[in-house]
């Protein structure tokens, strides 16, 4: 059974304001919840069907509320609810910058699906850190969490003043900006310690950030498409930088 207060609380976590107040977020689907269970994230509560509970033997120290599919649908943000939903505590955000290796910077990326996909792409290529402007979509937005497919547990997403951060990087760190009119990525020499900046879906990298990047880079266009999706661009560029 699930109470009215529990329904109200879980549904409130679809909004950033209440996620910040409660320091909790929602994770749905067996894959995502199992990724959380195998990570350092702490779980407040799991809501799951009888079949899910019987299939997955969960530790005794984790609180599980057995519910039916209709009850899950009432608290789910998905069109069709999965058989499990977890309320998870938001961890303390890292405050230090770790610029060794390849790192991603996102300047005002708004679309939850794009951020979630970029997190998955970073996980694929072994990129551990994504630095986001304060205006970038919240990483604990349910659509972001869902689209990461568990990769949120292995990639740190840090919100900061990215202009100040870029200005403070060490001299051995190269700051690249993904733009339409830069140097072809196939023709550049990649610095092993790099920040790669990706901009807003509609407007690209803001002028104040573009003015302080070291090198502008682009993906060579062969066809007639006007532009490339930011997540697709991140995949192509990381394939160059990480291999």
């Amino acid at each position: 059974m699930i109470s009215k207060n529990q329904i109200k609380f879980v549904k409130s976590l679809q909004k950033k304001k209440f996620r910040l107040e409660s320091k909790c977020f929602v994770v749905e689907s067996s894959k995502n919840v199992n990724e959380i269970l195998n990570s350092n994230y702490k779980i407040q509560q799991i809501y799951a069907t009888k079949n899910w509970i019987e299939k997955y033997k969960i530790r005794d120290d984790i609180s599980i509320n057995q519910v039916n599919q209709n009850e899950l649908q009432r608290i789910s943000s998905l069109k069709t609810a999965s058989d499990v939903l977890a309320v998870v505590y938001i961890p303390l955000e890292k405050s230090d910058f770790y610029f060794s290796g390849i790192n991603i910077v996102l300047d005002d990326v708004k679309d939850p699906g794009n951020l979630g996909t970029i997190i998955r792409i970073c996980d694929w290529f072994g990129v551990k850190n994504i630095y986001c402007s304060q205006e970038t979509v919240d990483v604990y937005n349910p659509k972001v969490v869902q689209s990461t497919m568990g990769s949120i547990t292995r990639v740190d997403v840090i919100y900061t003043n990215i202009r100040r951060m870029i200005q403070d990087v060490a001299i051995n760190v190269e700051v690249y900006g993904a733009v339409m009119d830069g140097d072809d990525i196939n023709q550049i020499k990649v610095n092993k310690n790099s920040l790669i900046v990706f901009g807003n879906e509609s407007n690209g990298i803001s002028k104040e950030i573009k003015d302080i990047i070291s090198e502008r880079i682009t993906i060579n266009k062969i066809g007639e498409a006007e532009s490339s999706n930011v997540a697709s661009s991140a995949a192509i560029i990381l394939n160059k930088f990480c291999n």
Side-chain angles (χ1 to χ4, degrees), residues 205-219:
I205 301 172
S206 60
K207 184 180 185 306
E208 68 168 357
I209 301 300
K210 195 178 290 185
D211 287 345
I212 59 173
I213 60 178
S214 309
E215 184 171 357
R216 301 183 184 196
I217 58 174
T218 195
I219 300 164

Side-chain angles (χ1 to χ4, degrees), residues 98-99 101-105 129 131 162 165-166 169 173-177 191 193-197 213 215 241:
Y98 187 68
F99 296 133
I102 306 301
N103 299 269
I104 293 295
V105 180
N129 302 298
Y131 298 99
I162 60 171
M165 181 192 75
I166 290 170
V169 296
V173 178
E174 190 80 10
V175 182
Y176 299 90
N191 188 316
N193 296 318
S194 299
L195 296 180
I196 310 171
V197 184
I213 60 178
E215 184 171 357
F241 275 69

Side-chain angles (χ1 to χ4, degrees), residues 56-115:
Y56 299 98
K57 305 302 180 183
I58 307 303
R59 305 192 311 267
D60 292 338
D61 62 321
I62 294 176
S63 178
I64 302 180
N65 188 340
Q66 183 177 313
V67 294
N68 60 42
Q69 201 66 43
N70 288 335
E71 289 174 312
L72 275 171
Q73 191 64 58
R74 294 182 69 185
I75 59 176
S76 175
S77 63
L78 304 177
K79 187 174 182 180
T80 302
S82 175
D83 49 0
V84 60
L85 178 151
V87 176
V88 183
Y89 289 109
I90 294 174
L92 290 175
E93 188 175 273
K94 289 186 176 181
S95 57
D96 57 331
F97 301 143
Y98 187 68
F99 296 133
S100 177
I102 306 301
N103 299 269
I104 293 295
V105 180
L106 301 181
D107 180 16
D108 197 23
V109 169
K110 295 294 191 186
D111 184 83
N114 280 337
L115 177 55

